[in-house]
Amino acid sequence: MALSHNSIEIITKCPIEERTIGSYPAFLIDPCILPLKKLEICTVEGFGKYKTVTLSSPQILPHGHYARLIIAHLTTQISRRPELPSYVIAKSVSDLFQQITGQDSISGGTYANFLTSLERVFDTTFTVVPTNKSKDKMRRRGFFAEADNLLNSEYGIGHFNAKYKQVLYTPSSSFKALIADDKSIIPIDLRFLQLARAKDIVLAQDLYLYLIRRGYGRERVGFVPWVTLHKDVFPYLGGLALSRFKRRFLHALDFILDCHPRAGISVDKKGKGIVIPPNNYLLRGRGG
């Protein structure tokens, strides 16, 4: 895959030095249940080894690249300044779009799609419930999520106001408390999420988030079978035949490894799944 200028920048420039390190809620990963494409559903549920996550909305659930970028941006705002009760995050919705996507220009149709995603993200509530390792909740196998981020009540991201030539974000107290806990968020390079949206690589954002989640701070090499990845970690692609899922997965993985050639993530020698080294280089320019 040919590298773009942005891809080369991600490889050569460390996100810590470039101040592009952001945060993403860990409970939305493993399983990754935020829909990838538009679905005519208002509720979705994902089962992990230690938790069950439910997303609900009075409207259609948010989906696609924009939803993930918006959630990452809002989470990053809280994690950087947790003491603030609210945040002025942009001068306008157009300015917010530019900040979140890194794109300078915006068309009418793109603006409408982004605004719809923004409204749907704020409409969505989350519930994270411990499974207590019950057999009925563990009917899906292979999860490695730790027993963190466990909440028993429904909560939302908060609300935004864009009426007065600025976008004001006020997080809900529960969401803010969740983000304030270091164990509840993972660090990410916001540039990569932006690049994956610009390239429109299916699965790239979620796979990137998942790989960081599985490798960050770990001491041992991890192995995840194809069946687990297909049915459990990325359940919104469970309807695809396994062969088609593998093609999409490997296309997204190739893109990630183009940007992070020293990450060391690979398909195992027997072709039964993927190998994820600990503390992989997905947050370091050149892996250094």
Side-chain angles (χ1 to χ4, degrees), residues 136-153:
D136 59 323
K137 294 296 180 65
M138 288 185 65
R139 62 183 182 274
R140 298 188 178 205
R141 62 188 179 278
F143 282 94
F144 304 90
E146 297 173 356
D148 55 11
N149 314 323
L150 301 180
L151 301 176
N152 288 302
S153 59

Side-chain angles (χ1 to χ4, degrees), residues 12 14 27 31 48 51 54 65 76 89 95 102-103 136 140 143 158 180 182 186 195 199 201 207 219 245 286:
T12 58
C14 177
F27 71 87
K51 62 185 179 181
T54 303
H65 297 301
T76 300
I89 56 177
D95 180 43
Q103 183 176 323
D136 59 323
R140 298 188 178 205
F143 282 94
D182 288 341
I186 62 166
L195 183 61
K199 294 288 187 179
I201 306 293
L207 179 55
E219 298 180 354
F245 169 78
R286 286 281 183 205

Side-chain angles (χ1 to χ4, degrees), residues 3 26 29 40 51 56 64 86 114 134 204 224 233 248 279 285:
L3 290 176
I29 310 164
E40 300 295 326
K51 62 185 179 181
S56 299
S86 60
F114 175 78
S134 60
V224 190
V233 178
R248 290 194 181 187
N279 289 310

Side-chain angles (χ1 to χ4, degrees), residues 66 69-70 73 89-107 110-111 114 167 190 194 197:
Y66 286 143
L69 279 166
I70 291 167
H73 188 77
I89 56 177
K91 299 175 182 178
S92 64
V93 174
S94 295
D95 180 43
L96 181 63
F97 172 85
Q98 293 174 3
Q99 289 186 40
I100 288 178
T101 65
Q103 183 176 323
D104 293 332
S105 59
I106 181 172
S107 66
T110 301
Y111 178 88
F114 175 78
V167 180
L190 295 169
Q194 292 173 343
R197 185 207 70 86

Side-chain angles (χ1 to χ4, degrees), residues 72-255:
H73 188 77
L74 298 176
T75 304
T76 300
Q77 294 297 315
I78 298 173
S79 62
R80 288 177 177 174
R81 296 291 303 276
E83 76 279 4
L84 297 180
S86 60
Y87 306 81
V88 177
I89 56 177
K91 299 175 182 178
S92 64
V93 174
S94 295
D95 180 43
L96 181 63
F97 172 85
Q98 293 174 3
Q99 289 186 40
I100 288 178
T101 65
Q103 183 176 323
D104 293 332
S105 59
I106 181 172
S107 66
T110 301
Y111 178 88
N113 290 334
F114 175 78
L115 185 58
T116 297
S117 293
L118 185 66
E119 292 171 344
R120 286 179 178 169
V121 164
F122 280 99
D123 280 342
T124 301
T125 57
F126 307 88
T127 306
V128 185
V129 180
T131 62
N132 296 320
K133 299 185 179 181
S134 60
K135 293 182 179 180
D136 59 323
K137 294 296 180 65
M138 288 185 65
R139 62 183 182 274
R140 298 188 178 205
R141 62 188 179 278
F143 282 94
F144 304 90
E146 297 173 356
D148 55 11
N149 314 323
L150 301 180
L151 301 176
N152 288 302
S153 59
E154 187 177 65
Y155 62 101
I157 285 181
H159 66 273
F160 77 101
N161 187 319
K163 293 183 179 179
Y164 302 104
K165 296 185 179 180
Q166 65 181 21
V167 180
L168 180 68
Y169 168 46
T170 304
S172 67
S173 58
S174 53
F175 189 68
K176 186 174 181 179
L178 181 69
I179 302 307
D181 179 1
D182 288 341
K183 293 182 179 180
S184 297
I185 56 176
I186 62 166
I188 59 172
D189 186 351
L190 295 169
R191 296 173 304 174
F192 183 84
L193 294 194
Q194 292 173 343
L195 183 61
R197 185 207 70 86
K199 294 288 187 179
D200 195 22
I201 306 293
V202 176
L203 192 61
Q205 287 178 330
D206 280 356
L207 179 55
Y208 171 78
L209 294 167
Y210 173 72
L211 292 174
I212 291 180
R213 169 82 160 129
R214 284 300 317 276
Y216 187 76
R218 301 297 175 92
E219 298 180 354
R220 294 185 297 177
V221 173
F223 169 76
V224 190
W226 283 117
V227 173
T228 297
L229 291 166
H230 184 210
K231 298 295 184 181
D232 298 339
V233 178
F234 304 105
Y236 52 71
L237 294 176
L240 291 178
L242 181 58
S243 59
R244 290 189 62 196
F245 169 78
K246 285 183 179 180
R247 286 196 295 270
R248 290 194 181 187
F249 184 99
L250 292 173
H251 180 60
L253 181 60
D254 285 345
F255 175 65

